[in-house]
Amino acid sequence: MTGTSTGTGAGSSRRTFIAGAAATAGALSAAAVPVAAAAPAAAAEGAAAATPPAGRSVAVLGGGVAGLTAAHELAERGYAVTVYERRALGGKARSMDVPGSARGGRRPLPAEHGFRFIPGIYHNLPDTMRRIPFPGNANGVWDNLVAPREMMFARAAGREDLRAPIPWPDHSPAELTPDELRRALAGIMQSLVRLPPHETAYFVDRALVFLTSCDERRNEVWEHTPWWDFVRAARMSSEYQRILAIGVTRNIVATKAEEASTRTVGTLGEAFVFNLLGRGADGPPDRILNLPTNEAWIDPWEAHLRSLGVEFRIGWTVREVQYAGGRVSGVVTEDPAGVRQTVTADHYVSALPVEHARRTWGPALRAADPMLGRCDRLETDWMTGIQFYLTERAPLVHGHLNCIDSPWSLTAIQQAEHWPARNFPADYGDGVAVDCLSVDISEWDKPGILYGKTAKECTREEVAREVWAQLKASLNDTGRTLLADSKLHSWFLDPGVDGLGTPNPTNQDQLLIHPTGTFHNRPSAGTRIPNFFLSGDYVAVDIDLATMEGANASARAAVNSLLDRDGSKAARCTVRPLYRAPEVESAKRHDLWRYRLGLRNVFDLG
């Protein structure tokens, strides 16, 4: 097995999985607390026409989705914006080149931190994408989204693989009454996961409990209830546990089922169910980009922001946010030459991932807003990508696949067929590789099947061999060799992971996870410090999950807070919450009455 690996420089993104499908099979829920100022929609032209007081300047710390969104919204409103990014624009959402892979004038092989997934439940991120020009596209970068035709649960040990078309072609109720919801959910479950009828019925009833739970019950009870307990997994079959408890939480929320917040898992599940039923969606449940991420999205975004006057400082690392006189007085940075400099602006938006951001908050800043200290309780885990380049396209599935039985919770997608504008062997690499199988590793702390070691205990080469072995165990177990060693060209493991096989492995790009109680430690976008704002997927927004949508929504909320503090007359950013079905709101109001009386939800039969 040949490989390509570098030491530093991270990958593209994260939010993984077939989320639509697994969450579909997952649960229900609709964000409890609509987030920050959902202001009237503001046309970009109107926003740009507004001039901030005295031409105010903003330093945006971090150039991932959160930082670029904040820069976009601020620049449209006339602010002078400078973005400071230590590595490369796009953060975890970017794609990257495999070093040394190009031959004969071709592009380098494309790699990433994790494959892109932009489901129809997103609204804020797609709005931004529509406002990024792309040659030949009427709707900008948004027109580069395409919908895979199907998804698959790949089973190991000879178990039948489960395939499903996307979007779902079956029952779409006109009214979301409890009976209609039960019927639709049962149909989805029976088609997708094929559990014993009594387990399907029980899970559907648990889904109805969450769907009709009031916000108070969600925030105060289900937020503190592990998903494993909520779905009564301990009572059920191993298939029920594997698919609906373990599979959903590890692959979508990257948290153990025994720890994952029911509020978080249910919220995403509900959104995907409504999406499948044709309600409140921006598009199909599963969407990906039709080119490598930088080509389809990040590079055009950078060009557009530069045209709006945004300046970028690439290779600049944020070391400390300084506090004096009741305000942020400057930010200590380290430039590409390693020289420390203090940069100043009128306002500061911290758009770093939480594990990096909180290192920059000193005692004085934390004392000024105790909310910052609560961020120390937020937890992160590893979810990292590896790409396998093939010399022959494997007949797997036309979309995402979830290796539900794999010890390392693997999910994957073949990318070449979704990039119609590119001829993979002609345009990329050495002209031999014809496809890229992009795989996300969600579990780094369980032994594998090849070496009996966890992913963190393996060397980079061993990680590649182990992942390849687990893929083959899931896909080659029914008499057909779908993945052949002879067809493997090379591999590339996200360089943000370092020190594998040593006592101190590190990961520059960890993922916020959602054990019970997490929601109450998430900060708001506005702080008590008048010129300091937070943006990132850890900030409390309506979509209670670390996602690009959450990063985008939090940036909009941060900009709105900044505009309020500045007394700006510019139109506020629209912050759209997750869809809430009007028919279900009456059931939630009834549940609020029961909750205040100390009674269970009417569908909660234990």
Side-chain angles (χ1 to χ4, degrees), residues 428-454:
Y428 295 105
D430 58 6
V432 176
V434 303
D435 205 351
C436 172
L437 180 61
S438 186
V439 184
D440 278 358
I441 307 168
S442 299
E443 174 59 77
W444 285 76
D445 295 307
K446 285 188 177 179
I449 64 175
L450 197 59
Y451 298 105
K453 298 191 291 187
T454 69

Side-chain angles (χ1 to χ4, degrees), residues 487-563:
K487 307 303 182 185
L488 179 58
H489 174 276
S490 57
W491 55 269
F492 181 86
L493 177 61
D494 178 7
V497 173
D498 199 9
L500 292 177
T502 75
N504 298 300
T506 60
N507 187 344
Q508 295 186 52
D509 301 287
Q510 297 193 35
L511 171 67
L512 182 74
I513 60 173
H514 305 268
T516 55
T518 296
F519 176 76
H520 300 295
N521 292 323
R522 296 178 71 165
S524 60
T527 74
R528 294 184 184 181
I529 301 141
N531 64 338
F532 187 59
F533 309 89
L534 303 180
S535 174
D537 59 15
Y538 68 98
V539 174
V541 293
D542 201 52
I543 186 166
D544 180 23
L545 188 70
T547 57
M548 294 186 293
E549 174 76 350
N552 184 280
S554 71
R556 292 164 178 250
V559 170
N560 285 344
S561 183
L562 186 155
L563 296 174

Side-chain angles (χ1 to χ4, degrees), residues 30-52:
V33 187
V35 101
E45 311 85 66
T51 303

Side-chain angles (χ1 to χ4, degrees), residues 452-512:
K453 298 191 291 187
T454 69
K456 292 176 183 176
E457 293 171 334
C458 291
T459 65
R460 298 178 75 84
E461 177 77 24
E462 288 171 341
V463 167
R465 291 181 180 276
E466 178 70 54
V467 172
W468 185 250
Q470 291 186 31
L471 289 170
K472 290 192 297 181
S474 293
L475 297 166
N476 292 353
D477 63 321
T478 55
R480 297 178 61 203
T481 303
L482 301 182
L483 289 181
D485 293 345
S486 61
K487 307 303 182 185
L488 179 58
H489 174 276
S490 57
W491 55 269
F492 181 86
L493 177 61
D494 178 7
V497 173
D498 199 9
L500 292 177
T502 75
N504 298 300
T506 60
N507 187 344
Q508 295 186 52
D509 301 287
Q510 297 193 35
L511 171 67
L512 182 74

